[in-house]
C-alpha cells in the first residue's frame, strides 16, 4: 500500500478524496490536514461517523514529507504552491487540485497572481486523463484541471480539427454551488440561489484562458473562447454547452464514438445529457449534434469528482503504476 495524505481535508474536494481513499485497495490514508488541524475527520464531517476515525493536523510540509509518498493538495490557489515546492524538493509526489500548476506561467500570472514556484512548472502534467495518460505515468507533479475546463475540453477537443479556427467558440456553462468551495457568500446563499439561475463573470472568467491554452497545446489551434458560467440551485453537477462553426460536414456522434472508443469513463449519449446521471461518479457524458455548419456539444460531469477529486485520484493511480480506474466511483446518486 502506498502512503498518502490529503491537505485541505475540511473542504468539499478534500471530503470527496477521503471518501474514496478510505476503501482504495492501493493507497493507505496516513495524513489529513487543514489550516488549524487539532480535530478529527469525523468531527469536521459528521457524515463520516462510523466510516473513518482519524486525526486532522495543522498542515506541515515536514510531516507530509516524513509520512507520505504522495499527497493531494485540495487547497485554494496560491496556498497550494506554498506547500508543493517543499514537498517536491523532499521527493513527495504531488497531485494539486488548485490552478497553481495548470497553466503556462504567463497565462497564470495574467489571471491569478505572481507564481511563487515557477521552477517546478515544467514538471507539471495537466491531469486531463484521456489526453495525458502516458505523461502521468512518469509524473512527480500532476495539475488537476478546472471543473469547467474538464467538461468543456472533453466535449470539444475531438471536434477541433473540423472547426473553422477563425470562428470563436461559445461556451455556456452551468454549475452547482459546490463549485465555489465551502466559503459562504451572499451570491451562493440559499435565499439568493433558490429557484434562481444567473450568469456570473460573463466573458471574463479565468477558466476561458485555460480552455484556450489547452486547445492550442493539444491541437495547435488558436481559438477564441467566449465563456459564460452560470450558477444553478443544485449542490453538485456541471452542464456545459459548446457552440462552434464547422468547416466540413461530419457525423458528430460517430466522431465521438471513434475518438473515445478506448476511454471507459467517457459515455457518448444519443440524446442530450443531464447532470444527475453523472452525480457521484467519475463519468463524463457527452452528446453532440449538427445543423448545417453549426455544431452543438453538451457535456456533463460531477464538478467535485470528475471535475476535481476522482480525476485527481485517477492521476495518482497512474503516477503510482495502478490501473487508472482503481477505486473510482461509478454508481450515480440516482434517483
Ligand atoms: N469545488 C470544486 O468543484 C472544484 C473543482 C475543481 C478544482 N477545485 C479546486 O480545488 C481546490 C479546493 O477546492 P474546494 O472546493 O475543496 O475548497 P474549500 O471547500 O474552500 O476547501 C478549501 C480547503 O483548504 C484548506 N485550507 C485553506 N487554506 C489553507 C492553509 N493555508 N493551510 C492548510 N489548509 C488550508 C481549508 O481548510 P480550513 O477549513 O482549515 O481553512 C479547506 O480544507 C481549490 O483550489 C479549487 O479551485 C475545486
Amino acid at each position: 500500500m502506498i502512503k498518502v495524505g490529503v491537505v485541505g481535508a475540511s473542504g468539499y474536494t478534500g471530503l470527496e478524496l477521503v471518501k474514496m481513499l478510505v476503501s482504495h485497495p492501493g493507497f493507505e490514508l496516513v495524513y489529513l490536514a487543514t489550516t488549524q488541524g487539532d480535530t478529527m475527520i469525523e468531527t469536521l464531517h459528521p457524515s463520516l461517523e462510523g466510516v473513518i476515525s482519524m486525526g486532522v493536523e495543522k498542515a506541515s510540509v515536514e510531516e507530509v514529507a516524513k509520512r507520505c509518498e504522495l499527497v493531494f493538495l485540495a487547497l485554494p490557489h496560491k496556498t497550494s504552491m506554498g506547500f508543493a515546492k517543499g514537498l517536491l524538493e523532499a521527493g513527495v509526489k504531488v497531485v494539486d487540485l488548485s490552478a497553481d500548476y495548470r497553466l503556462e506561467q504567463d497565462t497564470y500570472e495574467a489571471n491569478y497572481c505572481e507564481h511563487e514556484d515557477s521552477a517546478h512548472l515544467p514538471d507539471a502534467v495537466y491531469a486531463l486523463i484521456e489526453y495525458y495518460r502516458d505523461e502521468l505515468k512518469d509524473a512527480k507533479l500532476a495539475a488537476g484541471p478546472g471543473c469547467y475546463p474538464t467538461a468543456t475540453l472533453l466535449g470539444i477537443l475531438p471536434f477541433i480539427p473540423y472547426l473553422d479556427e477563425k470562428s470563436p467558440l461559445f461556451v455556456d456553462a452551468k454549475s452547482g454551488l459546490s463549485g465555489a468551495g465551502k466559503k459562504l457568500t451572499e451570491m451562493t446563499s440559499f435565499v439568493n440561489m433558490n429557484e434562481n439561475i444567473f450568469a456570473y463573470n460573463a466573458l471574463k472568467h479565468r477558466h476561458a484562458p485555460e480552455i484556450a491554452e489547452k486547445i492550442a497545446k493539444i491541437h495547435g489551434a488558436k481559438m477564441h473562447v467566449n465563456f459564460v458560467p452560470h450558477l444553478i440551485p443544485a449542490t453538485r453537477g456541471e452542464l456545459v454547452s459548446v457552440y462552434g462553426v464547422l468547416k466540413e460536414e461530419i457525423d458528430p456522434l460517430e466522431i465521438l464514438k471513434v475518438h473515445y472508443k478506448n476511454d471507459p469513463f467517457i459515455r457518448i449519449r444519443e440524446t442530450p445529457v443531464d447532470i444527475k446521471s453523472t452525480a457521484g461518479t467519475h463519468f463524463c457524458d457527452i452528446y453532440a449534434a449538427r445543423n448545417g455548419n453549426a455544431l452543438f456539444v453538451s457535456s456533463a460531469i460531477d464538478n467535485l469528482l470528475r471535475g476535481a477529486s476522482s480525476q485527481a485520484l485517477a492521476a495518482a493511480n497512474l503516477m503510482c503504476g495502478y490501473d487508472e480506474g482503481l477505486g473510482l466511483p461509478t454508481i450515480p446518486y440516482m434517483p
Side-chain angles (χ1 to χ4, degrees), residues 75-97:
L75 298 169
H77 73 272
K78 196 168 171 29
T79 308
S80 257
M81 56 187 165
F83 281 92
K85 186 172 185 305
L87 294 169
L88 293 162
E89 285 159 3
V92 178
K93 288 181 178 174
V94 172
V95 180
D96 180 27
L97 281 75

Side-chain angles (χ1 to χ4, degrees), residues 7-14 33-37 59 73-77 79 83 97-99 102 145-147 178-183 303-304 307-308:
V7 182
S10 60
Y12 290 154
T13 59
T34 59
T35 313
Q36 304 307 327
L73 300 180
L75 298 169
H77 73 272
T79 308
F83 281 92
L97 281 75
S98 84
R102 282 179 202 158
C147 43
S178 60
K182 66 184 178 120
K183 232 185 247 56
N303 57 290
L304 289 175

Side-chain angles (χ1 to χ4, degrees), residues 6-83:
V6 175
V7 182
S10 60
Y12 290 154
T13 59
L15 171 58
E16 294 300 324
L17 284 164
V18 172
K19 285 159 60 178
M20 293 182 284
L21 289 167
V22 284
S23 56
H24 192 285
F27 291 132
E28 181 190 359
L29 189 54
V30 297
Y31 181 84
L32 294 172
T34 59
T35 313
Q36 304 307 327
D38 193 23
T39 183
M40 300 296 288
I41 192 68
E42 66 270 30
T43 306
L44 286 175
H45 304 293
S47 61
L48 294 178
E49 185 81 31
V51 177
I52 178 177
S53 178
M54 190 171 164
V56 177
E57 303 166 36
K58 182 175 172 51
S60 133
V61 169
E62 294 68 34
E63 277 306 306
V64 175
K66 245 190 307 186
R67 290 149 61 181
C68 301
E69 295 160 80
L70 181 143
V71 68
F72 297 92
L73 300 180
L75 298 169
H77 73 272
K78 196 168 171 29
T79 308
S80 257
M81 56 187 165
F83 281 92

